[in-house]
Amino acid sequence: MHIRKMTELNLTGKRVLIRSDLNVPIKNGIIQSEARILAALPTIKLAIEKNAKVIIMSHLGRPKEGCYTKKYSLLPIFEYLKKKLNNTKMYFSQNYLNDITLNSGEILMLENVRFNKGELSNSNKLSKEYSSLCDIFVMDAFGSAHRMQSSTYGIGEFVKIACAGPLLINEISALKKALKEPKRPMVAIVGGAKVSTKFNVLHKLSKIADTIIVGGGIANTFLAIDYKIGKSLHEPDFIPEAKKLRDKYNIITPIDSRVGKNFCKTEKSIIRLPSNIKKDEEIMDFGDETITKITNILKNSQTIIWNGPVGVFEFPHFRIGTEKIAKTIARSHAFSIAGGGDTLSVIDMFNIKDCISYISTGGGAFLEFIEGKKLPAIDMLEKNFKKIN
């Protein structure tokens, strides 16, 4: 992989446009998780230290393209960054496609790129407009590296110099370390609601991991191979494919589960064996025997890849499995990589950020990289490298 690195370039006096991933949960104007912002900060600080004219762009949520919506404005993130970079002059711009005036050592933050028509469709017109804003484009948004959009891919077709930021480089290096030369035993935990969206990654991980642990709705689909699981979330159409995987690889499914009758925060949990789940009950977490079995596996592992919670961790009576597993990973001496939006929320909830070897800012990109797919942003950076060299 031949790509240009931001750290190799002279940024002094240059207009440096950084595509960050600042897509964080915001509720009533208050940021709920700072993880992605904090991960993006070192790259921004580096550009300031190099006396560049720094421009930051990102998306937030899924607004209707071409329409400003206050709910999806980056203004709360701008205010947060102003406090973190209080010695730096910072500006915010909603109308920035025509021209930008900025001095060295200053920062201009652009409004949500998804308010711009053509962003999602990778419009050539918009990509050219982005490229005209800068001398150097820095792709640092690993979480959006799987998107072929104007701010992540198209701009690279028109800008003279495109390079990878430190965060993107670190993400790729950490994932390669875990996937190509893992210390063994290697364990992968794959949680989440839908097995259909994660079959490719399960196939890939099954070939390289010694053990796969499935949780959430994914585990329910595996349980439905042999049991009637009440009204539990699962995908009946994918039961045959789940059976093929289970029969071929070492996939750990729950031996008991926490169930409830109502999907709400106040619902109390009951532990059931898969064979005893009632018609009006749904699985929402691992049971105690399953937790013990899995934590013992994790304690003996040397590499852990973790994507997704194993239960409805937002509900107090159904977060036990996710909490015990998260804290076991945190205490482990294994090289651990965690990725995915819900995974980041779990890490914040249990305050274990400093105990995970590497926390990926990517969700979809994290999974696609594990699957072995070439991410469009990486492809763009390689093409730009070849164009100049």
Side-chain angles (χ1 to χ4, degrees), residues 52-68:
K53 300 171 182 178
V54 183
I55 307 159
I56 304 168
M57 71 190 323
S58 177
H59 77 281
L60 178 66
R62 297 185 178 185
K64 184 178 178 182
E65 195 174 89
C67 299
Y68 172 84

Side-chain angles (χ1 to χ4, degrees), residues 69-101:
T69 313
K70 186 179 179 182
K71 176 184 175 183
Y72 295 112
S73 173
L74 287 172
L75 196 56
I77 298 168
F78 170 72
E79 297 296 343
Y80 176 91
L81 283 171
K82 270 179 74 176
K83 290 175 184 175
K84 286 286 182 182
L85 300 163
N86 60 355
N87 293 323
T88 304
K89 280 189 178 179
M90 287 188 66
Y91 311 94
F92 187 78
S93 177
Q94 288 182 312
N95 302 304
Y96 49 82
L97 292 175
N98 294 325
D99 191 28
I100 282 176
T101 304

Side-chain angles (χ1 to χ4, degrees), residues 305-316:
I305 292 181
W306 173 27
N307 175 253
V310 299
V312 188
F313 71 98
E314 298 92 343
F315 297 173

Side-chain angles (χ1 to χ4, degrees), residues 91-326:
Y91 311 94
F92 187 78
S93 177
Q94 288 182 312
N95 302 304
Y96 49 82
L97 292 175
N98 294 325
D99 191 28
I100 282 176
T101 304
L102 200 61
N103 295 317
S104 295
E106 296 179 346
I107 295 175
L108 174 66
M109 186 166 182
L110 310 182
E111 182 57 284
N112 192 342
V113 293
R114 288 191 178 170
F115 290 159
N116 299 325
K117 283 185 178 178
E119 168 63 20
L120 300 181
S121 61
N122 190 34
S123 152
N124 276 349
K125 179 179 180 293
L126 183 60
S127 298
K128 283 180 184 176
E129 287 173 328
Y130 286 155
S131 70
S132 70
L133 301 178
C134 65
D135 304 304
I136 297 170
F137 172 64
V138 180
M139 179 57 188
D140 204 41
F142 180 75
S144 298
H146 62 312
R147 306 288 189 196
M148 193 176 277
Q149 297 170 355
S150 286
S151 69
T152 59
Y153 182 86
I155 183 174
E157 298 283 313
F158 302 101
V159 76
K160 185 178 179 183
I161 299 174
C163 62
L167 176 60
L168 185 66
I169 295 293
N170 290 342
E171 293 268 11
I172 294 167
S173 299
L175 284 169
K176 280 186 173 179
K177 178 181 176 181
L179 296 172
K180 292 200 172 177
E181 295 176 357
K183 288 187 177 179
R184 298 196 179 276
M186 176 184 179
V187 178
I189 303 165
V190 183
K194 291 186 176 182
V195 72
S196 57
T197 61
K198 296 192 177 176
F199 257 123
N200 289 339
V201 76
L202 284 170
H203 274 287
K204 176 75 174 181
L205 286 171
S206 295
K207 292 172 184 174
I208 60 172
D210 300 291
T211 305
I212 304 282
I213 295 162
V214 289
I218 295 171
N220 296 346
T221 301
F222 279 89
L223 285 175
I225 298 167
D226 300 312
Y227 304 102
K228 291 180 179 179
I229 55 171
K231 58 179 184 178
S232 304
L233 174 67
H234 70 293
E235 294 178 279
D237 291 347
F238 289 90
I239 291 172
E241 187 71 15
K243 187 177 187 304
K244 285 180 188 175
L245 271 174
R246 186 200 64 179
D247 293 348
K248 189 174 180 181
Y249 299 107
N250 185 25
I251 295 179
I252 305 297
T253 56
I255 50 181
D256 62 345
S257 303
R258 282 182 164 78
V259 305
K261 292 184 178 181
N262 301 295
F263 192 82
C264 65
K265 283 190 175 183
T266 55
E267 183 71 1
K268 294 290 186 355
S269 65
I270 302 166
I271 295 179
R272 299 259 195 226
L273 296 174
S275 56
N276 291 336
I277 294 168
K278 312 300 181 190
K279 284 184 180 180
D280 60 347
E281 293 175 337
E282 59 182 309
I283 300 167
M284 290 190 273
D285 194 11
F286 285 162
D288 291 342
E289 286 187 41
T290 303
I291 292 168
T292 299
K293 180 180 180 179
I294 288 170
T295 52
N296 285 335
I297 291 169
L298 292 171
K299 285 173 186 175
N300 293 311
S301 64
Q302 291 298 313
T303 302
I304 300 170
I305 292 181
W306 173 27
N307 175 253
V310 299
V312 188
F313 71 98
E314 298 92 343
F315 297 173
H317 299 293
F318 296 97
R319 71 170 56 130
I320 297 167
T322 298
E323 180 176 5
K324 291 281 179 70
I325 286 168

